[in-house]
Amino acid sequence: MPRTIVTEGSSMTNLRLAEAFLERARARLRALDTLREEADFSDVIREARDIVELCFRGMLRITGVEVSRWRDPGEVLRENMPLLPAEVRVHADRISEIYEDLRRHRPIDVSEDGMPPEKVMMVDADRATAEAEWILGMAQLTVDQVSHRRTPAQPGR
């Protein structure tokens, strides 16, 4: 029986780089708890934005798309959405909304219901954290699907 020789090609490199982006995102996600405990809510939001960008870079890399430092990864992801698995593409609008929301700079004021700015920031930080976690899940799904480590569930199973 002949032995198959496995050579490292661009698909292996893309997989390793994509996984490296997601591992960096996971490490930063763990750091968000510390920032939140210190009531550093604006940094939580900034870090969540960076986590989402790392996830986008990983999603793109696994599909063979490299994002230069000068391009907005959200824009590049939108342009290349057809390359992503169907299970991820169905969430394209939510993915874009999360990215735009995290990029937007909103002035912090007393909310209409009288909540103090710190409470508003805490709520925003919690939302940003949840959104970064969800995007990380979508990124992991993309890497798993494109690298064929996991196949989508078949209807009726």
Side-chain angles (χ1 to χ4, degrees), residues 9-110:
S10 64
S11 63
M12 282 300 292
T13 301
N14 286 340
L15 176 59
R16 287 187 180 144
L17 289 170
E19 288 175 333
F21 279 120
L22 297 192
E23 187 51 44
R24 286 174 55 200
R26 274 188 209 87
R28 286 185 174 199
L29 193 60
R30 289 187 296 270
L32 292 184
D33 291 336
T34 302
L35 292 171
R36 190 183 186 294
E37 287 170 12
E38 295 174 5
D40 195 351
F41 303 125
S42 60
D43 277 351
V44 169
I45 295 167
R46 274 192 290 279
E47 281 296 318
R49 180 182 56 234
D50 291 347
I51 290 165
V52 168
E53 287 187 8
L54 286 168
C55 290
F56 285 3
R57 289 179 186 280
M59 293 165 84
L60 288 161
R61 177 50 94 163
I62 194 64
T63 62
V65 176
E66 185 174 352
V67 182
S68 75
R69 295 176 192 249
W70 298 277
R71 295 278 320 267
D72 179 334
E75 178 183 313
V76 177
L77 186 73
R78 273 192 291 271
E79 292 168 2
N80 291 282
M81 194 61 73
L83 300 176
L84 301 180
E87 288 180 275
V88 176
R89 282 193 317 264
V90 298
H91 300 289
D93 290 340
R94 182 171 180 208
I95 291 168
S96 291
E97 287 169 9
I98 288 171
Y99 185 66
E100 290 305 317
D101 186 51
L102 288 173
R103 287 185 63 220
R104 208 173 302 140
H105 179 275
R106 292 186 308 247
I108 301 304
D109 236 344
V110 175

Side-chain angles (χ1 to χ4, degrees), residues 116-127:
E118 301 81 30
K119 184 72 172 172
V120 173
M121 286 292 292
M122 185 177 68
V123 170
D124 284 347
D126 290 347
R127 183 185 36 73

Side-chain angles (χ1 to χ4, degrees), residues 2-13:
R3 293 174 48 186
T4 305
I5 299 173
V6 177
T7 59
E8 185 172 330
S10 64
S11 63
M12 282 300 292
T13 301

